[in-house]
């Protein structure tokens, strides 16, 4: 099997840098999320207008992500006390990666706008939380996303990959203390 591309990524000011390893379309899921939480996270970072078309993410496992510099500046921001960890570069307020609040489920969604070259990700295969004309939200290709998430997560949990994460310490605590975002008005 041929290895995929290694893609560098960085925050807006270049303090937090890293590499997304072994990128191949079948090893992750390229999605666009239109949920209110993703839009709010972008607004909190001063990127509100960029969320209008959704937030472009590559869903994978944390073992594929290497933080090269600035790990001490990467802070998990939560929009609610039980919400996702939205790892943000504190130096320039760049949203970078989403994970669950513990390493128990090996999942990471990296914001593709921070990648030096998103081409190896392949095409977007799904859109989540799209608001229809009736105001209800729906998913385009949601079953495919869920199947790929389950397959990747189970494989990672059964192997060593499930224990390799740059976001959590060996005891399961985050590398930096979580911050609760101010409530929306």
């Amino acid at each position: 099997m041929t290895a995929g591309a290694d893609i560098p990524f960085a925050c807006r000011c270049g303090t937090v840098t890293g590499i997304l390893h072994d990128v191949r379309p079948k090893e992750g899921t390229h999605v666009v999320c239109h949920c209110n939480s993703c839009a709010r996270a972008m607004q909190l970072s001063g990127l509100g207008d960029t969320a209008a078309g959704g937030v472009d993410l590559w869903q994978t496992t944390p073992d594929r992500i290497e933080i090269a510099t600035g790990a001490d500046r990467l802070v998990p921001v939560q929009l609610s006390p039980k919400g996702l960890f939205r790892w943000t570069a504190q130096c320039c307020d760049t949203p970078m990666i989403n994970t669950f609040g513990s390493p128990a489920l090996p999942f990471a969604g990296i914001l593709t706008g921070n990648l030096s070259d998103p081409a190896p990700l392949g095409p977007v295969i799904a859109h989540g939380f799209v608001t229809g004309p009736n105001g209800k939200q729906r998913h385009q290709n949601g079953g495919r996303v869920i199947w790929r998430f389950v397959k990747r997560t189970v494989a990672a949990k059964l192997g060593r990959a499930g224990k390799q994460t740059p976001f959590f310490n060996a005891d399961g605590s985050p590398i930096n203390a979580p911050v609760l975002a101010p409530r929306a008005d």
Side-chain angles (χ1 to χ4, degrees):
M1 181 180 344
T2 306
D6 288 345
I7 305 173
F9 62 86
C11 65
R12 290 183 274 192
C13 74
T15 299
V16 178
T17 65
I19 300 171
L20 178 59
H21 290 287
D22 194 22
V23 176
R24 294 175 272 167
K26 290 188 177 187
E27 296 298 325
T29 308
H30 195 176
V31 302
V32 175
C33 186
H34 301 268
C35 77
N36 294 334
S37 294
C38 280
R40 182 165 172 246
M42 298 302 277
Q43 289 168 347
L44 287 170
S45 293
L47 300 170
D49 293 342
T50 62
V55 177
D56 197 314
L57 300 160
W58 171 257
Q59 296 178 343
T60 189
T61 52
D63 63 299
R64 294 182 182 274
I65 299 172
E66 173 188 346
I67 306 300
T69 63
D72 61 321
R73 305 298 307 201
L74 200 55
V75 175
V77 176
Q78 291 179 282
L79 301 181
S80 67
K82 294 187 181 186
L84 286 176
F85 278 6
R86 295 172 183 276
W87 295 86
T88 302
Q90 204 174 35
C91 44
C92 58
D93 212 20
T94 303
M96 300 198 68
I97 298 156
N98 299 333
T99 68
F100 291 113
S102 87
L105 283 174
F107 166 83
I110 187 165
L111 281 77
T112 64
N114 300 319
L115 298 173
S116 65
D117 178 17
L121 305 176
V124 170
I125 65 163
H127 287 260
F129 302 96
V130 177
T131 303
N134 61 359
K136 292 187 178 186
Q137 291 188 327
R138 58 185 169 70
H139 307 292
Q140 297 170 347
N141 243 354
R144 190 170 176 193
V145 172
I146 292 168
W147 168 245
R148 291 175 80 155
F149 166 79
V150 168
K151 188 169 74 169
R152 260 192 322 276
T153 301
V154 168
K157 289 224 24 117
L158 294 175
R160 288 186 41 213
K163 302 219 183 299
Q164 297 173 348
T165 173
F167 308 107
F168 296 94
N169 297 310
D171 66 358
S173 64
I175 59 167
N176 294 312
V179 173
L180 186 60
R183 291 182 55 130
D185 292 333

